[in-house]
Amino acid sequence: MRKISLAAAIIMLAGPLAAQTSPQVTNDLTVEMTPQQYRICNDRPARPTWMDEIHPREAYKAVALMELYEVRAWELIATAGDCGCDARFPAWDFSDAEYQKTYAQLTQAEHSALRREWIEVRKQLEPTVREICETQGNW
């Protein structure tokens, strides 16, 4: 009986404390669109607008372009030995043009196969790119 009374007393004392620290409820549904802050390279180029406007059933195309973009950036870093922000996050134009010309019309299954290939390329490049970027503080 004593344990139950003690537990009830603690709960009753904790209630007002919890009420004081809870966030205020508001009816304001305004969304604040502040620019995203990254740990490195905050001046990244914007993605192609079609990637944000694509139908959800075709999202695999945007994912494939993101994979291609990263592979091309990592190849540049490994080749040049430079991991500056311009190399780590280049303009999307070249990757987007390559994607539109070569891969955009492929099926979803073909996109999946390509992504697996690009992931393997990225895995091969990762040790070299990581070493270069860590040395330059951009990992």
Side-chain angles (χ1 to χ4, degrees):
M1 182 72 174
R2 228 178 206 170
K3 291 181 182 178
I4 294 173
S5 298
L6 182 60
I10 290 173
I11 291 172
M12 289 175 58
L13 291 173
L17 179 63
Q20 290 174 0
T21 59
S22 63
Q24 296 297 319
V25 177
T26 179
N27 289 333
D28 182 16
L29 299 176
T30 305
V31 177
E32 290 189 31
M33 297 297 292
T34 57
Q36 185 170 353
Q37 294 295 308
Y38 302 99
R39 189 177 48 79
I40 59 167
C41 303
N42 279 306
D43 293 331
R44 298 177 184 190
R47 300 184 325 177
T49 54
W50 71 263
M51 290 176 70
D52 297 325
E53 298 169 354
I54 196 163
H55 190 278
R57 289 186 185 205
E58 293 187 331
Y60 65 91
K61 293 179 179 183
V63 173
L65 176 56
M66 287 189 284
E67 199 71 52
L68 175 64
Y69 172 81
E70 188 165 25
V71 166
R72 296 301 181 242
W74 283 28
E75 288 172 341
L76 177 65
I77 292 167
T79 303
D82 177 37
C83 190
C85 291
D86 290 339
R88 183 85 194 266
F89 301 101
W92 284 83
D93 300 344
F94 297 110
S95 296
D96 189 29
E98 178 183 354
Y99 176 81
Q100 295 299 334
K101 180 180 178 185
T102 311
Y103 309 112
Q105 283 65 38
L106 299 178
T107 66
Q108 186 172 0
E110 291 168 322
H111 272 82
S112 295
L114 278 169
R115 285 193 55 233
R116 283 191 296 275
E117 289 175 24
W118 291 332
I119 289 169
E120 284 303 313
V121 170
R122 204 177 67 216
K123 284 180 184 177
Q124 297 296 320
L125 292 169
E126 196 263 339
T128 304
V129 171
R130 177 185 281 262
E131 182 180 336
I132 293 167
C133 291
E134 281 180 343
T135 302
Q136 297 177 11
N138 270 345
W139 185 252

